[in-house]
Amino acid sequence: PACPRREPGAMAATEAYLEKHGVTKMLDAIVNELVSEKPADPISFLINGLLKEAGKRGQEPALLQRLVELKKTLLSEQAEASKTLDEKAKLSAEVDKLAYRIKHLCKALDTAEANGGGGGGGAAAPSVGQIPVGHTAFSWAGGVQVGGGGGGGAGAEAGGEGGEGGEA
């Protein structure tokens, strides 16, 4: 802003404003402290001095208001990121379980085919040693009736066209 004109009332009004708000006295104190301490970063020192004065007066500068808003945003985003990481961990565990199941299903299929079970009829029931703990032959086969339980086997139940058992 431009300096007030050197009109008789302008200087008096400026001095009255500075006196009313204690600006001159406050700035003198901050600058005297700056010269006394000689900090490496005088700009930050002055800013911090002004912020302390604002706090003493019960004022919250726009800078501090913005910092409080940023802190709230960061905390919210941190909570969301934590939830996302938890979800990722759950999905990763699920992927590991599914990969384990696929590996063992492929092994059971290879064994069944090697034993001559890959032909036409029903799906061959896996032997007890091939079914992981906690599963039955039915659950391990993905809910498809295994063994000699009737007609077209896994391919027919899954909508396939007989033959090699179709793809589920």
Side-chain angles (χ1 to χ4, degrees):
C3 287
R5 294 185 186 168
R6 304 246 177 210
E7 296 177 14
M11 283 302 281
T14 300
E15 288 177 17
Y17 174 83
L18 294 174
E19 186 64 33
K20 175 183 174 187
H21 295 287
V23 174
T24 304
K25 186 176 179 182
M26 173 189 60
L27 288 177
D28 282 346
I30 294 172
V31 170
N32 285 337
E33 194 175 344
L34 171 78
V35 171
S36 171
E37 293 191 24
K38 295 179 179 61
D41 185 1
I43 302 296
S44 292
F45 186 90
L46 292 170
I47 291 170
N48 288 334
L50 291 170
L51 291 173
K52 285 179 194 174
E53 276 298 317
K56 288 179 188 176
R57 296 177 182 200
Q59 300 169 337
E60 186 175 18
L63 172 66
L64 291 180
Q65 292 172 356
R66 181 66 181 135
L67 289 174
V68 168
E69 290 173 15
L70 287 172
K71 182 179 180 181
K72 287 179 185 177
T73 301
L74 287 173
L75 289 175
S76 171
E77 289 177 357
Q78 183 180 24
E80 187 176 328
S82 179
K83 288 178 186 176
T84 301
L85 287 174
D86 290 344
E87 183 65 23
K88 180 184 179 224
K90 288 177 186 176
L91 290 173
S92 180
E94 186 175 344
V95 164
D96 291 344
K97 288 177 185 176
L98 290 172
Y100 173 83
R101 185 162 183 204
I102 289 169
K103 175 183 170 187
H104 285 80
L105 282 171
C106 288
K107 186 177 179 182
L109 180 61
D110 290 344
T111 302
E113 287 176 349
N115 292 335
S127 68
V128 174
Q130 295 172 326
I131 300 171
V133 175
H135 285 281
T136 64
F138 181 77
S139 71
W140 189 243
V144 177
Q145 185 65 42
V146 293
E157 289 184 29
E161 297 180 18
E164 292 296 316
E167 292 186 32

